[in-house]
């Protein structure tokens, strides 16, 4: 296992460029890119994008939502032009990765000093707002099921039963 570098190694002056300076420059570039995204994108899109890396002239971004990634595609060429103009002219492309758990932030409750495992158990589970689907979707699934083979038909009909009950 590799041991952590000491501060003297990070600040060493006789190297061509110290690692700390490289990290500072990369952080500065990431902040500039995030600022550029906030300037040129809608607030909802920009807030849901994380600047992950800049490596081999490729800018890597990450989001939790495929919808955000699709919306970003509309602005991608404009953002790439601005990144080349304002931050790094060697930027070749931008790659967007969709990762649902990438920005999961767990904040502790204000007056809770101990960790409650019952409260934290569901943090990595996807949120489900309800166990029902819209009636029109259920009707469409039912009509598809009518022309399907037995195994698929049973699965689709089970799914269609999740339509909300009339009240």
């Amino acid at each position: 296992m590799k041991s952590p570098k000491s501060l003297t190694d990070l600040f060493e002056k006789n190297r061509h460029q110290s690692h700390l300076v490289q990290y500072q420059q990369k952080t500065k570039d990431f902040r500039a890119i995030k600022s550029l995204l906030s300037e040129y994108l809608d607030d909802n899109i920009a807030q849901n994008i994380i600047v992950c890396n800049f490596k081999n002239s490729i800018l890597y971004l990450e989001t939790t939502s495929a919808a955000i990634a699709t919306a970003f595609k509309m602005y991608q060429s404009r953002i790439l032009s601005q990144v080349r103009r304002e931050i790094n002219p060697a930027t070749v492309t931008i790659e967007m990765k969709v990762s649902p758990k990438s920005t999961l932030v767990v904040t502790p409750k204000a007056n809770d000093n101990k960790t409650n495992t019952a409260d934290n158990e569901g943090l990595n589970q996807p949120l489900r707002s309800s166990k029902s689907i819209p009636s029109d979707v259920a009707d469409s699934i039912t009509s598809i099921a009518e022309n399907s083979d037995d195994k698929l038909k049973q699965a689709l009909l089970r799914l269609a039963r999740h339509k909300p009950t009339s009240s």
Side-chain angles (χ1 to χ4, degrees):
M1 187 164 108
K2 220 175 185 183
S3 63
K5 292 186 179 188
S6 68
L7 284 176
T8 55
D9 288 342
L10 291 173
F11 285 114
E12 193 172 76
K13 297 290 183 195
N14 58 2
R15 289 188 182 179
H16 179 260
Q17 189 176 15
S18 76
H19 291 290
L20 187 59
V21 172
Q22 290 174 348
Y23 297 144
Q24 286 175 331
Q25 183 61 41
K26 204 169 197 178
T27 302
K28 180 182 165 192
D29 288 347
F30 282 11
R31 287 183 179 150
I33 291 167
K34 188 65 178 174
S35 172
L36 188 131
L37 291 173
S38 296
E39 183 179 334
Y40 288 98
L41 299 175
D42 294 336
D43 289 338
N44 186 37
I45 298 171
Q47 290 174 357
N48 289 297
I49 293 177
I50 298 172
V51 180
C52 290
N53 203 354
F54 184 83
K55 188 176 180 181
N56 299 330
S57 299
I58 300 172
L59 174 60
Y60 294 93
L61 304 176
E62 194 169 300
T63 184
T64 57
S65 165
I68 297 294
T70 303
F72 175 78
K73 289 284 185 189
M74 293 189 308
Y75 299 99
Q76 185 170 351
S77 62
R78 184 187 315 166
I79 297 296
L80 180 59
S81 297
Q82 291 300 325
V83 168
R84 286 178 180 157
R85 193 172 301 128
E86 297 178 22
I87 298 165
N88 189 338
T91 307
V92 174
T93 188
I94 299 173
E95 287 193 16
M96 175 68 75
K97 178 183 175 188
V98 177
S99 177
K101 295 182 182 179
S102 68
T103 58
L104 181 66
V105 177
V106 180
T107 54
K109 295 178 184 174
N111 294 326
D112 191 13
N113 292 334
K114 60 182 180 179
T115 304
N116 187 349
T117 55
D119 288 343
N120 294 332
E121 280 179 7
L123 290 176
N124 293 328
Q125 299 298 323
L127 295 176
R128 293 185 181 99
S129 58
S130 68
K131 292 190 177 196
S132 64
I133 58 174
S135 296
D136 56 334
V137 174
D139 295 339
S140 297
I141 292 172
T142 303
S143 65
I144 293 169
E146 291 171 0
N147 299 323
S148 301
D149 64 354
D150 288 335
K151 198 172 191 179
L152 179 59
K153 183 177 184 176
Q154 291 173 0
L156 289 172
L157 290 174
R158 254 192 329 265
L159 178 63
R161 281 188 236 130
H162 288 285
K163 68 180 176 182
T165 57
S166 1
S167 39

